[in-house]
């Protein structure tokens, strides 16, 4: 059964708050959605630990470099094409690590050049995450307006950025140690 509302029917006026909630659709902010932004970085930590545990001493490729950078690069490209961001630094920084992972996959081993490329990418990624952290610290309203999100979402995003800084800093340290191994400990 369909109900047709004509011009002559008066609908109750909605409050400004309910109108804002309607305008936020389809990106409605809920606690579950805010928790969802942590899933990729948590999975990245798990992948880093598992990959490092199984491949640290045998010289095989950094699976975490290939998979994590590939995933986040695709996400950055999606952000540029479909939104919400039209500029995403991850399209460049994650690409460096993704290329490094592909080099290792083709070579079948960790190489000096792949480690350096992945390390440069990781350092750029850390910088990319520090930028929104600084913006949020200075004025959280900037991100609320720019991304059209709620203050609660921006607070969750800030935690996500700090977790990402931690992840990529640990990854950069591991890559730097592999560069050291490549230079000084390889025959």
């Amino acid at each position: 059964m369909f109900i047709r509302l004509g011009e002559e029917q008066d609908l109750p006026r909605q409050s400004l708050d309910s109108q804002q909630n309607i305008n936020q659709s389809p990106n409605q902010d809920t606690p579950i959605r805010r928790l969802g932004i942590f899933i990729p970085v948590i999975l990245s930590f798990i992948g880093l630990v598992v990959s490092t545990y199984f491949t640290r001493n045998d010289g095989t490729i950094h699976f975490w470099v290939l998979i994590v950078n590939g995933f986040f690069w695709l996400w950055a490209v999606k952000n540029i094409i479909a939104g919400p961001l039209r500029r995403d630094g991850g399209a460049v920084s994650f690409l460096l690590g993704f290329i490094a992972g592909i080099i290792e996959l083709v070579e079948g081993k960790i190489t000096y050049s792949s480690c350096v490329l992945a390390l440069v990418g990781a350092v750029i990624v850390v910088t990319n995450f520090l930028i929104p952290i600084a913006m949020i610290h200075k004025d959280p309203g900037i991100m609320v307006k720019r991304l059209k999100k709620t203050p609660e979402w921006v607070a969750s995003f800030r935690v996500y950025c700090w977790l990402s800084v931690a992840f990529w800093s640990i990854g950069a340290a591991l890559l730097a140690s592999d560069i050291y191994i490549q230079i000084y400990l390889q025959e």
Side-chain angles (χ1 to χ4, degrees):
M1 180 162 104
F2 294 95
I3 300 174
R4 183 170 178 207
L5 298 176
E7 292 178 26
E8 66 277 26
Q9 295 174 317
D10 285 335
L11 298 174
R13 291 195 160 255
Q14 297 175 338
S15 69
L16 182 58
D17 289 339
S18 64
Q19 185 63 38
Q20 287 175 345
N21 288 338
I22 290 170
N23 290 339
Q24 286 182 355
S25 185
N27 294 320
Q28 292 177 339
D29 184 34
T30 65
I32 298 297
R33 286 189 72 122
R34 285 194 303 272
L35 287 175
I37 68 172
F38 297 111
I39 292 171
V41 75
I42 290 168
L43 291 175
S44 297
F45 270 109
I46 293 168
L48 175 65
V49 169
V50 169
S51 175
T52 302
Y53 177 79
F54 285 110
T55 63
R56 185 74 180 148
N57 296 319
D58 64 4
T60 58
I61 73 170
H62 298 107
F63 286 103
W64 72 270
V65 170
L66 177 67
I67 295 168
V68 174
N69 279 287
F71 172 80
F72 283 107
W73 178 73
L74 288 171
W75 192 354
V77 170
K78 186 276 314 170
N79 284 342
I80 292 170
I81 293 170
L85 305 175
R86 293 297 176 208
R87 292 181 300 158
D88 191 327
V92 173
S93 56
F94 292 122
L95 181 60
L96 296 177
F98 189 42
I99 291 170
I102 291 170
I103 290 169
E104 290 182 358
L105 190 62
V106 169
E107 295 285 328
K109 64 180 181 176
I110 294 170
T111 65
Y112 173 79
S113 60
S114 68
C115 287
V116 170
L117 189 59
L119 175 62
V120 169
V123 170
I124 294 171
V125 169
V126 168
T127 305
N128 283 344
F129 279 112
L130 289 173
I131 292 169
I133 289 170
M135 290 172 64
I136 293 168
H137 178 73
K138 183 177 179 182
D139 180 9
I142 290 173
M143 296 301 276
V144 169
K145 291 175 189 168
R146 179 175 286 176
L147 298 177
K148 298 180 177 96
K149 300 287 186 178
T150 65
E152 295 81 12
W153 186 92
V154 171
S156 298
F157 180 66
R158 182 181 192 178
V159 173
Y160 166 79
C161 288
W162 276 116
L163 288 172
S164 296
V165 165
F167 172 80
W168 290 103
S169 296
I170 292 167
L174 289 171
L175 291 164
S177 72
D178 284 339
I179 291 170
Y180 178 83
I181 291 168
Q182 291 290 319
I183 293 173
Y184 297 107
L185 302 179
Q186 293 291 328
E187 300 174 330

